[in-house]
Amino acid sequence: MSGSIRNVIIIGSGPAGYTAGLYTSRAMLEPLMFAGYMSGGQLMLTSDVENFPGYPQGIGGPEMMMHLREQAERFGLEVQDRNVERVDLSNRPFKVYSEGEEYLTHSIIVSTGAESIWLGAEGEEAQKGRGISTCATCDGAFFKDEEILVVGGGDSAMEEATFLTRFASKVTLVHRRDVFRASQVMYERAANHEKIEIKTFRQVKQWLSDDSGLTGAILEDPRDGTTEDIAVTGAFIAIGHKPITGFLDGQLDTDDEGYLLHSEHTMTSVPGVFAAGDVVDTRYKQAITAAGLGCQAAIDCERWLEDNVH
Ligand code: NAP
């Protein structure tokens, strides 16, 4: 066992986690954060952030996460860049396990976020954040007057394709079937848009690139394996997100898609365990909304500790 019982352990280090760290450290709760091996969350994959208030010239995603971390650490947030493998929420104090060590805590804030599902096509890894993105709101504006590919057949793909028409000269949406999961209204909005072309029975076989970045993709018809090339300089993969909750092993209530549910304000189904950010957010998924939820979870946690522990 490592140390005495902590007031609060924060698991996850995106905008929600760091904001929760800022508030709980300023409340003198001496929080401990497990930031994960890949600290900073999805913002670490974003080149420039132009929609977070307070940065008139925009800021790089990784740089912004460094700022959030520094600000929280200044007030005493202790950060360990390690993953949490599992937790035991059956009794209080709760148990948190990281690299084989056990940590006891009166409360927990879960802010592990959600991860985009990537395609995993050939050539994808090298172009992540360099032409291939999973967030049109974050990166769409960088493709002004360029031709863009969107992959997916659900509401996210329709929404991203429609949003991207603000910037792109043309958006080609490819879907692996001719049946769409998207709602009719969102499908029609995309299908009827003059800048959007929808191609069914197409999946990305390989991404093409040169020194300047993404140049296109080889598309394959899954029915017969025939291929065609498409020239694009930007691509957005919108085939869904998955919340990062595996380490909880089903101990907290979730919705059908695995997102954590709040039972009272930001508290989860287990009293003393709070959740904030994309791990609960099925709708907005923005850095600023995650930060706002992190603030709420910290305040709820502080009040709960006052009423139940101190
Ligand atoms: P989704 O509905 O699960 O759709 C995912 C799409 O990606 C499907 O068309 C699926 O194809 C495709 N796909 C999955 N894996 C693939 C792969 N490996 N290769 C190629 N295509 C792949 O996910 P979503 O669009 O992110 O939506 C998730 C939830 O959020 C839905 O309930 C949706 O209604 C909601 N949402 C709502 C709004 C809104 O109302 N404004 C906006 C966005 C999302 P198949 O169909 O062939 O499986």
Side-chain angles (χ1 to χ4, degrees):
M1 197 179 88
S2 295
S4 53
I5 304 174
R6 310 291 302 217
N7 288 310
V8 53
I9 286 181
I10 299 165
I11 306 173
S13 59
Y18 285 135
T19 307
L22 173 64
Y23 273 74
T24 51
S25 55
R26 291 190 79 248
M28 313 299 279
L29 293 174
E30 299 175 337
L32 168 64
M33 170 186 281
F34 288 102
Y37 299 126
M38 294 269 294
S39 69
Q42 292 193 72
L43 267 293
M44 301 302 277
L45 293 173
T46 306
S47 45
D48 289 284
V49 181
E50 293 180 329
N51 56 7
F52 198 93
Y55 293 105
Q57 306 306 322
I59 185 165
E63 196 184 349
M64 187 176 100
M65 299 318 295
M66 219 171 63
H67 287 174
L68 294 190
R69 178 167 174 158
E70 272 174 25
Q71 190 178 357
E73 284 181 328
R74 188 180 136 215
F75 293 100
L77 174 68
E78 181 185 338
V79 183
Q80 296 204 16
D81 291 306
R82 309 201 307 191
N83 280 1
V84 166
E85 286 94 43
R86 64 189 176 96
V87 295
D88 180 353
L89 308 179
S90 56
N91 288 298
R92 294 208 307 259
F94 303 122
K95 300 187 183 83
V96 174
Y97 297 93
S98 176
E99 293 185 2
E101 286 191 60
E102 181 186 89
Y103 295 79
L104 300 180
T105 182
H106 294 299
S107 69
I108 293 176
I109 298 175
V110 179
S111 51
T112 40
E115 53 190 352
S116 298
I117 305 170
W118 291 84
L119 272 176
E122 197 181 328
E124 192 164 297
E125 207 55 41
Q127 297 308 314
K128 279 184 183 176
R130 298 184 66 243
I132 305 178
S133 168
T134 51
C135 176
T137 320
C138 317
D139 298 329
F142 302 115
F143 298 94
K144 199 159 176 348
D145 299 326
E146 296 181 35
E147 298 203 5
I148 292 178
L149 186 70
V150 172
V151 184
D155 280 335
S156 292
M158 301 306 145
E159 193 170 64
E160 303 254 292
T162 307
F163 177 79
L164 287 163
T165 58
R166 296 182 193 191
F167 316 105
S169 56
K170 181 181 177 186
V171 177
T172 304
L173 184 146
V174 292
H175 179 37
R176 62 186 175 183
R177 303 188 290 157
D178 65 348
V179 179
F180 290 84
R181 287 180 199 268
S183 55
Q184 193 64 19
V185 63
M186 292 188 67
Y187 169 77
E188 279 177 11
R189 193 175 298 146
N192 293 332
H193 199 289
E194 59 181 14
K195 282 190 182 176
I196 299 177
E197 181 184 357
I198 295 183
K199 291 187 170 189
T200 53
F201 294 115
R202 298 284 193 290
Q203 58 193 20
V204 175
K205 184 168 192 270
Q206 187 183 336
W207 297 106
L208 305 171
S209 58
D210 63 18
D211 290 346
S212 67
L214 188 72
T215 56
I218 301 174
L219 303 177
E220 183 179 58
D221 185 330
R223 293 169 300 182
D224 55 18
T226 53
T227 60
E228 63 172 305
D229 287 4
I230 184 168
V232 288
T233 46
F236 289 80
I237 298 170
I239 61 172
H241 282 82
K242 49 178 191 293
I244 302 170
T245 55
F247 69 100
L248 294 167
D249 200 24
Q251 294 173 83
L252 297 177
D253 287 354
T254 67
D255 70 7
D256 290 344
E257 292 172 28
Y259 288 88
L260 296 183
L261 291 172
H262 287 148
S263 64
E264 189 189 323
H265 301 295
T266 57
M267 194 154 78
T268 67
S269 53
V270 173
V273 181
F274 302 81
D278 284 7
V279 75
V280 293
D281 184 359
T282 55
R283 188 176 172 90
Y284 302 104
K285 304 176 196 279
Q286 302 297 301
I288 187 64
T289 52
L293 273 166
C295 161
Q296 293 174 50
I299 291 173
D300 291 339
C301 179
E302 184 187 349
R303 291 184 183 161
W304 182 86
L305 286 167
E306 264 168 30
D307 292 343
N308 293 278
V309 178
H310 297 304

